[in-house]
Amino acid sequence: MRPYVLINSAMSADGKISSFLRRQVRISGSEDLLRVERLRAESDAVMVGLGTVIADDPTLRVKSEALRSWRLERGVPENPLRIVADSRARTPPEARVLGPGCIVAVSRYAPEDRLKELSERCEIAICGEDRVDLRELLEMLYRRGVRRLMVEGGGTLNWSLIEQGLVDEICVFVGPMVIGGQDAPTLVDGRGFPENFQRLELESAERIDDGLLLKWRVVRSA
Ligand SMILES: NC(=O)C1=CN([C@@H]2O[C@H](COP(=O)(O)OP(=O)(O)OC[C@H]3O[C@@H](n4cnc5c(N)ncnc54)[C@H](O)[C@@H]3O)[C@@H](O)[C@H]2O)C=CC1
Ligand SMILES: Nc1nc(O)c(N)c(N[C@@H]2O[C@H](COP(=O)(O)O)[C@@H](O)[C@H]2O)n1
């Protein structure tokens, strides 16, 4: 058993989630950022890949006091669990995502000295041999009570999850800009499908800020 997995992202009109500089680009408008906050607050856990931690240094916490109180009233911690997929335990010790409530998922290849240092700042979950085994990680999260997992990128982690059939829904805000560049990260990077592309079903399309919010359901092949 695994949690319901929702990928949320913001991309430019040409499908990029950042520029070739790989630094955070503000694509979402204020209304979309509020929506993202609500999605976080409604999730049991929020996950990113190491590339996003290094590029954006996200907190992955719920910033709105009202939404944190809303969670507490429901008997859950102020913030969802924060998960980082990081096979070799390279998360910088000063990363803002670390602290109580953060799990760094590593593989058995992660060096002992890195694990020792990181384990002072977060919980460590060992899943997989060479790379984090995402299915194993999701099953572990389910056993810990995670029923709804929000994934906030980036393109490499999104690809691995989609390739392995571990995603149920994709929400993407398409912002009013062109970023361009063949080396700029896109919503889904990795190797890509040569054929038998993952099919999606459009659930809704809504105009928000100066862009479009698209919600897609991932179609399971029979
Ligand atoms: N506009 C948006 O909504 C968002 C944009 N971004 C952007 O995306 C870029 C980062 O994306 P990426 O470099 O693709 O990094 P990523 O965030 O997808 O992390 C990839 C890394 O995760 C680790 N990992 C461990 N196990 C893995 C597995 N089984 N499969 C895949 N990765 C695994 C590896 O170290 C891998 O290099 C940044 O430029 C950031 O600004 C990131 C999140 C959201
Ligand atoms: N929804 C959305 N819109 C954008 O324009 C973005 N650049 C991102 N990036 C993601 O948001 C994370 C920021 O997290 P904190 O607010 O620091 O907790 C960042 O890491 C990306 O995952 N998202």
Side-chain angles (χ1 to χ4, degrees):
M1 297 284 268
R2 65 162 177 87
Y4 182 86
V5 176
L6 174 154
I7 289 179
N8 186 81
S9 196
M11 68 181 194
S12 58
D14 56 326
K16 313 293 184 189
I17 60 170
S18 175
S19 74
F20 70 90
L21 296 174
R22 291 187 172 261
R23 280 192 219 116
Q24 191 175 32
V25 176
R26 169 86 185 263
I27 300 169
S28 299
S30 51
E31 195 182 340
D32 189 54
L33 289 177
L34 271 177
R35 181 192 63 82
V36 175
E37 268 280 284
R38 283 197 298 274
L39 267 186
R40 274 189 190 177
E42 289 162 7
S43 302
D44 300 310
V46 182
M47 176 160 80
V48 293
L50 174 69
T52 298
V53 170
I54 289 171
D56 299 353
D57 194 16
T59 67
L60 299 190
R61 290 171 177 85
V62 176
K63 294 177 189 72
S64 146
E65 209 175 312
L67 285 171
R68 288 201 306 268
S69 306
W70 178 82
R71 285 182 56 92
L72 287 174
E73 281 160 21
R74 273 148 193 79
V76 294
E78 277 189 321
N79 286 289
L81 281 173
R82 306 181 304 285
I83 318 294
V84 181
D86 173 11
S87 306
R88 301 283 190 276
R90 285 183 293 155
T91 299
E94 67 281 5
R96 297 191 300 170
V97 71
L98 295 174
C102 177
I103 302 176
V104 174
V106 301
S107 74
R108 287 180 186 83
Y109 248 71
E112 268 310 315
D113 56 330
R114 295 293 308 125
L115 290 180
K116 193 166 179 291
E117 189 180 13
L118 265 185
S119 62
E120 287 165 17
R121 314 286 323 275
C122 65
E123 195 180 321
I124 305 281
I126 301 177
C127 312
E129 292 302 321
D130 180 35
R131 223 175 180 199
V132 173
D133 182 326
L134 296 169
R135 190 177 297 276
E136 194 180 320
L137 172 62
L138 295 193
E139 286 169 0
M140 182 278 282
L141 292 174
Y142 187 89
R143 286 195 299 277
R144 291 190 47 159
V146 174
R147 296 293 179 268
R148 190 177 164 85
L149 172 69
M150 175 181 180
V151 177
E152 292 200 43
T156 308
L157 179 64
N158 291 349
W159 159 253
S160 295
L161 287 163
I162 291 172
E163 184 196 22
Q164 292 174 53
L166 298 174
V167 179
D168 300 291
E169 186 181 338
I170 300 174
C171 291
V172 59
F173 173 76
V174 186
M177 65 184 75
V178 170
I179 294 179
Q182 60 191 5
D183 296 327
T186 71
L187 179 63
V188 182
D189 288 327
R191 180 166 165 263
F193 297 107
E195 56 190 0
N196 300 325
F197 309 114
Q198 176 63 62
R199 305 302 303 183
L200 305 175
E201 188 184 332
L202 186 62
E203 283 207 332
S204 64
E206 181 191 350
R207 189 181 172 133
I208 66 169
D209 294 318
D210 289 325
L212 193 62
L213 175 65
L214 299 173
K215 292 188 185 171
W216 302 94
R217 199 177 61 76
V218 176
V219 175
R220 294 268 153 266
S221 43

